[in-house]
Amino acid sequence: MPFPCFPSASHWLDDRAPPAHVIGNLPFNIASPLIIKYLREMSNRAGPWTCGRVPLTLTFQLEVARRLCSPIDNESRSRISIMAQMYTDPRLVFVIPGKLKI
């Protein structure tokens, strides 16, 4: 059965992504609750994920990003690391410097 917002996708694992992309810069105090919400919606195929595999591009405080991407034997690994890595492929792509020198 096709997704109503992306009729050409016939299955959740279809490699063709819907014409959507979630982008955000998350402050520290809401990053974890919002990630949990997104992961829950992904697992239930709710919210933007009713349309299929919608990509996310998010920026976090460095500590949150490291926790999300931490490998199995790392001391920063936590419940959110396990959950994020179960449903997504989190990657620390680059670090945005805290201060810009002009």
Side-chain angles (χ1 to χ4, degrees):
M1 179 173 131
F3 296 102
C5 49
F6 188 51
S8 62
S10 59
H11 190 272
W12 172 255
L13 296 176
D14 192 328
D15 285 334
R16 294 170 295 174
H21 194 122
V22 177
I23 300 172
N25 178 14
L26 304 180
F28 182 77
N29 60 334
I30 66 162
S32 293
L34 197 53
I35 292 166
I36 299 292
K37 178 185 183 304
Y38 286 163
L39 293 170
R40 184 176 296 120
E41 287 179 350
M42 284 178 201
S43 72
N44 294 325
R45 298 180 187 142
W49 294 274
T50 55
C51 301
R53 300 168 93 191
V54 175
L56 287 167
T57 301
L58 303 172
T59 59
F60 303 99
Q61 189 173 16
L62 185 57
E63 292 79 9
V64 175
R66 284 188 175 142
R67 195 172 344 130
L68 287 171
C69 300
S70 65
I72 292 173
D73 314 359
N74 194 293
E75 63 187 28
S76 64
R77 185 138 172 110
S78 64
R79 181 175 57 160
I80 202 163
S81 310
I82 296 165
M83 292 172 61
Q85 292 171 25
M86 181 173 158
Y87 292 107
T88 68
D89 180 23
R91 286 176 262 160
L92 181 61
V93 179
F94 59 88
V95 176
I96 300 169
K99 294 191 180 214
L100 181 63
K101 295 182 182 183
I102 299 178

